Amino acid sequence: MSWGDVWVNGDKVRPGIDATGPRAPWIPAGLISSEARAFVEAMQLLRRTRGAHARAVEFDLHVTSSAVSKGRAGTGKAVVGFEPDGLWLAVDVTPAGGLPEEACFVVFTQRVHVVAGARRAAERGTTGRPRATIPLRGRARSRESALEWAHQAARD
């Protein structure tokens, strides 16, 4: 696992994450590049203060798994899709070169959906060639943050 790795889940209730990271029923989906400006800014706000929040976060998910798609799951396939209901999304935000005991993960407080409307240019900095790039938006309810800590390693 490394910074920017993404997992998704389509369950009605968002599953938890512990110090070992997302496990089944979470599905590895792909990654967010380190240049995903809105996501990085939302993370900085989450780390700095309790009062500042990013209520909407837009970013591109570079899908590397055949188990995840933009559209609704196909009939009889083990594929989850972001449309129409969206998916729960968890992201590894462990610092580069971090040890397992320093693992940090965030989750979106609401289901994440595909951005409707104009297509944005893909973010640079992805490793490998993704199967697809899906523009996504995570939102929060009024006066809340779109992100919250799922697991944050103990700090000294």
Side-chain angles (χ1 to χ4, degrees):
M1 292 185 269
S2 63
W3 194 99
D5 286 349
V6 175
W7 292 264
V8 296
N9 182 279
D11 292 352
K12 290 184 183 201
V13 177
R14 186 182 71 201
I17 295 175
D18 60 20
T20 60
R23 301 287 178 236
W26 289 100
I27 300 168
L31 57 98
I32 296 174
S33 75
S34 59
E35 286 83 24
R37 183 175 172 192
F39 181 79
V40 172
E41 288 174 353
M43 279 303 310
Q44 290 169 343
L45 288 173
L46 188 62
R47 284 188 174 121
R48 272 193 237 139
T49 67
R50 293 182 183 186
H53 300 297
R55 290 197 51 237
V57 180
E58 288 190 15
F59 58 95
D60 286 340
L61 170 62
H62 303 283
V63 179
T64 58
S65 171
S66 60
V68 179
S69 72
K70 178 179 176 180
R72 188 176 196 130
T75 56
K77 291 184 177 181
V79 176
V80 294
F82 281 94
E83 293 177 351
D85 298 327
L87 295 173
W88 296 111
L89 196 133
V91 183
D92 184 348
V93 292
T94 304
L99 301 172
E101 56 271 10
E102 298 173 331
C104 294
F105 301 92
V106 294
V107 290
F108 281 81
T109 57
Q110 302 291 315
R111 288 176 177 263
V112 175
H113 295 273
V114 175
V115 173
R119 173 81 179 124
R120 296 179 298 122
E123 305 277 349
R124 293 183 190 175
T126 60
T127 57
R129 189 171 195 110
R131 292 176 166 268
T133 299
I134 305 174
L136 298 174
R137 178 183 295 133
R139 290 186 182 242
R141 293 187 176 107
S142 166
R143 293 189 227 175
E144 293 180 4
S145 174
L147 298 172
E148 65 186 12
W149 293 109
H151 172 77
Q152 187 174 14
R155 304 280 185 214
D156 291 332

